[in-house]
């Protein structure tokens, strides 16, 4: 059992708290049982799994599965686990995953519902949007290169495991992604407080790419100009704006609602599975 905070492995894993350490080691942290379960479920490559004796006793099957998949499995003391964690109360296990590309989306020209995010800075917002997009059946999410890192620990935690399931890509040129989508007749929708059309008046049954921008500045003029139309989310008097993750949820679920088959009426059985409710 590792008990020393000066152990080289502990020092190595603590460096993964920072973007520089993740780039240098080409690894990132998975904190908590749920993220480990999701990584194992999709066969994501793991480098190291560190857990406490209490956690091993509680999850013997998961411990065995981690031992088969990870390159290294270590029992650690509670103090060592706390030192590795970025959270205040880690639940007993932390893994590191190799920094390979997440599941890639299809060519933008083949996507029916997508989301493009520009310069999103808050990791909690990005993680929430990834989780919501996965739940609503979004087929691809593109993120501008100047946004928060996809493998930031808080992003991973906020996705509740959907990070491994939603097709995502970091786009060096987000404008090019939008132009490809438009080239095959897809509509590009942005949000604007001054827009005359509400989001529920928009036809989301068409192939649609939703554009969302920075928490404070919104979309850059160059990207906003590519939108075929802007929609507004009505707000009560005195309210300036919504959190970008909430705005994303409203738009993607309105698209999901509009795409429910017309044969689905009250009291009938769904003709296709609906997404699992957010936990």
């Amino acid at each position: 059992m590792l008990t020393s905070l000066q152990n080289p492995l502990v020092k190595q894993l603590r460096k993964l708290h920072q973007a520089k350490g993740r780039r240098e080691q080409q690894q990132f942290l998975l904190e908590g049982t749920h993220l480990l379960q999701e990584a194992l479920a999709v066969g994501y490559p793991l480098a190291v799994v560190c857990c406490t004796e209490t956690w091993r006793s509680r999850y013997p099957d998961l411990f065995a599965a981690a031992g088969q998949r990870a390159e290294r499995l270590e029992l650690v003391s509670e103090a060592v686990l706390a030192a590795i964690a970025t959270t205040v109360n880690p639940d007993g296990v932390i893994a590191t995953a190799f920094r390979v590309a997440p599941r890639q989306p299809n060519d933008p020209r083949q996507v029916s519902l997508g989301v493009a995010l520009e310069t999103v800075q808050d990791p909690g917002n990005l993680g929430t949007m990834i989780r919501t997009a996965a739940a609503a059946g979004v087929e691809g999410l593109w993120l501008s290169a100047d946004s928060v890192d996809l493998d930031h620990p808080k992003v991973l935690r906020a996705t509740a495991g959907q990070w491994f399931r939603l097709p995502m890509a970091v786009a060096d040129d987000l404008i090019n992604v939008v132009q490809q989508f438009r080239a095959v007749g897809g509509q590009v929708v942005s949000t604007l407080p001054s827009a005359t059309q509400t989001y529920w008046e928009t036809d989301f049954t068409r192939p649609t790419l939703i554009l969302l921008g920075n928490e404070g500045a919104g979309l850059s003029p160059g990207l906003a100009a590519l939108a075929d139309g802007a929609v507004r989310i009505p707000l009560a008097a005195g309210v300036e704006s919504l959190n970008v993750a909430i705005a994303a949820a409203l738009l993607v679920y309105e698209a999901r609602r509009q795409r429910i088959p017309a044969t689905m009426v009250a009291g009938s059985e769904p003709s296709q599975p609906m997404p699992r409710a957010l936990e």
Side-chain angles (χ1 to χ4, degrees):
M1 178 181 288
L2 296 182
T3 59
S4 172
L5 301 185
Q6 304 306 313
N7 184 280
L9 177 63
V10 177
K11 293 181 178 181
Q12 173 190 333
L13 299 189
R14 284 177 59 83
K15 291 180 180 178
L16 299 179
H17 293 192
Q18 306 300 322
K20 179 182 177 182
R22 295 192 293 273
R23 286 193 300 269
E24 290 176 348
Q25 298 183 41
Q26 289 298 295
Q27 296 179 26
F28 59 93
L29 290 174
L30 301 178
E31 300 183 66
T33 304
H34 185 57
L35 278 178
L36 177 60
Q37 287 174 321
E38 292 294 330
L40 290 171
V42 300
Y44 201 88
L46 302 178
V48 181
V49 175
C50 296
C51 68
T52 63
E53 180 59 48
T54 299
W55 187 89
R56 180 173 70 165
S57 299
R58 186 178 181 185
Y59 299 101
D61 293 342
L62 196 54
F63 178 81
Q68 293 176 350
R69 185 67 53 80
E71 291 188 352
R72 183 174 177 179
L73 182 62
E74 293 284 352
L75 283 176
V76 301
S77 67
E78 300 280 355
V80 166
L81 193 81
I84 297 170
T86 66
T87 54
V88 177
N89 296 304
D91 77 351
V93 66
I94 295 175
T96 68
F98 288 106
R99 206 181 195 213
V100 298
R103 182 183 171 196
Q104 294 290 292
N106 292 328
D107 186 301
R109 292 165 291 190
Q110 300 175 348
V111 169
S112 174
L113 179 61
V115 174
L117 304 175
E118 182 185 35
T119 322
V120 173
Q121 295 299 306
D122 184 271
N125 282 339
L126 177 57
T128 298
M129 286 189 280
I130 291 170
R131 182 181 186 184
T132 305
V138 169
E139 297 163 356
L141 181 147
W142 288 268
L143 182 70
S144 66
D146 57 352
S147 297
V148 63
D149 288 344
L150 268 177
D151 56 16
H152 188 290
K154 190 173 180 180
V155 172
L156 269 294
R157 295 198 305 273
T159 68
Q162 297 310 307
W163 191 95
F164 299 102
R165 301 181 184 278
L166 178 70
M168 300 181 292
V170 175
D172 292 327
D173 186 353
L174 202 57
I175 286 179
N176 183 54
V177 172
V178 177
Q179 289 173 333
Q180 288 184 59
F181 191 83
R182 291 189 65 189
V184 291
Q187 74 170 343
V188 179
V189 174
S190 64
T191 59
L192 192 66
S194 59
T196 58
Q197 190 175 49
T198 62
Y199 72 94
W200 60 74
E201 294 172 313
T202 301
D203 180 10
F204 283 109
T205 63
R206 298 172 52 195
T208 302
L209 182 67
I210 297 169
L211 300 183
L212 294 162
N214 176 263
E215 290 88 345
L219 289 168
S220 64
L223 201 58
L226 292 177
D228 297 294
V231 300
R232 65 185 175 89
I233 299 173
L235 304 173
V239 179
E240 246 181 57
S241 63
L242 283 178
N243 171 276
V244 66
I246 299 298
L250 290 171
L251 295 175
V252 298
Y253 264 96
E254 175 60 18
R256 179 66 178 176
R257 184 193 68 80
Q258 290 186 20
R259 293 169 186 226
I260 295 174
T263 53
M264 285 183 63
V265 295
S268 68
E269 290 296 320
S271 58
Q272 66 180 37
M274 293 297 289
R276 181 169 56 87
L278 295 180
E279 295 173 354

